[in-house]
Amino acid sequence: MEQNFAIAAQWVFLALVKPPEFSSSIDEVDEFYADGEKHCRPLLEKAAAYGEEQGLTVQTEMLHGHPAESLVRYAADRKADLIVMGTHGMGGFKNLVIGSVAQKVVTYSKVPVTIMK
Ligand SMILES: Nc1ncnc2c1ncn2[C@@H]1O[C@H](COP(=O)(O)OP(=O)(O)O)[C@@H](O)[C@H]1O
Ligand SMILES: [Mg+2]
């Protein structure tokens, strides 16, 4: 029987938790990341539950660091076949064709990138 690529693939749903923008003590950085994780965890779990409902094999992961850089490195290290992302995030400037993270990932990733409108 023909295998459906989307079903056979191992999907990793990633939340990229940004560091604080201004220099902070180590404790403050830890607290900042903890808040970020608290915010992201339910979103990630909801997305993973939906993916599983659709028959995907889903793993979730939260990474600390600058989003584009962390994502590009993670995909390369894991030898991912594909990165799938949206055009825009929750903030950002809606008048841009694609957001800054999407733009950086497309520019620097050696792993193929699909941007979903
Ligand atoms: N912190 C993040 N964690 C996970 N995915 C992200 C994150 N930031 C951006 N993305 C991905 O990049 C896409 C584009 O977002 P982005 O370039 O940040 O746009 P904007 O400038 O509107 O925030 C999002 O739809 C999402 O797939
Ligand atoms: Mg963004």
Side-chain angles (χ1 to χ4, degrees):
M1 201 172 74
E2 204 176 309
Q3 280 273 357
N4 180 330
F5 171 77
I7 305 269
Q10 166 70 56
W11 293 89
V12 182
F13 285 23
L14 276 181
L16 304 148
V17 186
K18 285 194 265 192
E21 289 183 17
F22 301 100
S23 61
S24 318
S25 70
I26 302 276
D27 283 352
E28 282 166 343
V29 173
D30 284 349
E31 206 175 305
F32 195 87
Y33 278 133
D35 282 350
E37 287 202 10
K38 212 160 100 188
H39 170 77
C40 289
R41 185 164 289 118
L43 299 172
L44 206 51
E45 277 168 10
K46 196 170 163 193
Y50 178 73
E52 274 161 11
E53 235 175 77
Q54 300 301 309
L56 305 181
T57 306
V58 176
Q59 185 191 329
T60 59
E61 193 111 53
M62 282 195 268
L63 302 179
H64 293 178
H66 295 284
E69 199 183 307
S70 307
L71 173 54
V72 167
R73 182 168 308 130
Y74 181 85
D77 288 351
R78 273 191 72 118
K79 300 189 170 47
D81 298 307
L82 182 68
I83 293 171
V84 180
M85 61 198 304
T87 52
H88 291 92
M90 292 176 179
F93 300 99
K94 298 294 173 225
N95 56 330
L96 297 177
V97 178
I98 59 172
S100 66
V101 174
Q103 207 162 64
K104 283 184 200 143
V105 171
V106 167
T107 306
Y108 295 109
S109 174
K110 293 201 165 62
V111 170
V113 183
T114 292
I115 308 244
M116 307 294 291
K117 282 197 92 172

